[in-house]
Amino acid sequence: MIDVQNGVIGGAHRRDDVVERIGGLVERARAEGVPVVWIQHSDEQLAEGSEEWEYVPELSRDDAEPLVPKHYADAFEETTLEDVLAAVGTGRIVVTGSQTDECIRSTIHGGLVRGYDVTLVGDAHTTEDLSDWGAPTPDLVIAHTNLYWSNHRAPGRTAEVVDAADVRF
């Protein structure tokens, strides 16, 4: 779960729907004994300890679940994420969160190049509207990311996009 923080997902496209789907996936993973890893971004615009830095109130981390702080878009870059995944023997990651066009894209690519199978939950990631700066609207950013990731390939690894209801842990 990547950056589902007040200051990251607060004004995002379909925010409430995405948070609800992520919450459902977290509950399912816990019920099935699947590790849930929380990724939390901070930088000069998102100060550690601030209200914007906190995870949204609809989601609660269990103290036993790993929390991986990060400072770059790719959740693997200069973090403990690979160590956390190795400790539980993970070969496949299921990715949800925000922002589609930054941290989600960077992390799905980062996972694949590091040897993980990567499932992107197509209806459980989102982004804010950056169309005033020339970007496509959020719905198109999400649709394009889902399209290209569903066709992405690498030797000995899989990349796929599935909806939250179809995720198999």
Side-chain angles (χ1 to χ4, degrees), residues 69-142:
K70 72 176 184 65
H71 304 288
Y72 299 100
D74 181 349
F76 290 94
E77 194 66 40
E78 292 189 9
T79 71
T80 61
L81 183 55
E82 284 192 273
D83 294 334
V84 167
L85 297 174
V88 295
T90 298
R92 174 177 163 252
I93 59 174
V94 177
V95 178
T96 66
S98 191
Q99 292 198 183
T100 299
D101 42 353
E102 184 71 21
C103 299
I104 297 296
R105 285 185 186 175
S106 296
T107 300
I108 60 179
H109 286 285
L112 196 70
V113 301
R114 287 171 175 87
Y116 296 93
D117 294 323
V118 180
T119 298
L120 175 62
V121 185
D123 59 353
H125 65 94
T126 188
T127 194
E128 64 186 324
D129 188 348
L130 299 174
S131 58
D132 286 347
W133 292 271
T137 57
D139 59 322
L140 295 177
V141 170
I142 294 163

Side-chain angles (χ1 to χ4, degrees), residues 10 17-18 25 30 47 54 147:
D17 293 338
V18 169
L25 286 166
R30 288 173 176 162
E54 295 291 336
L147 173 67

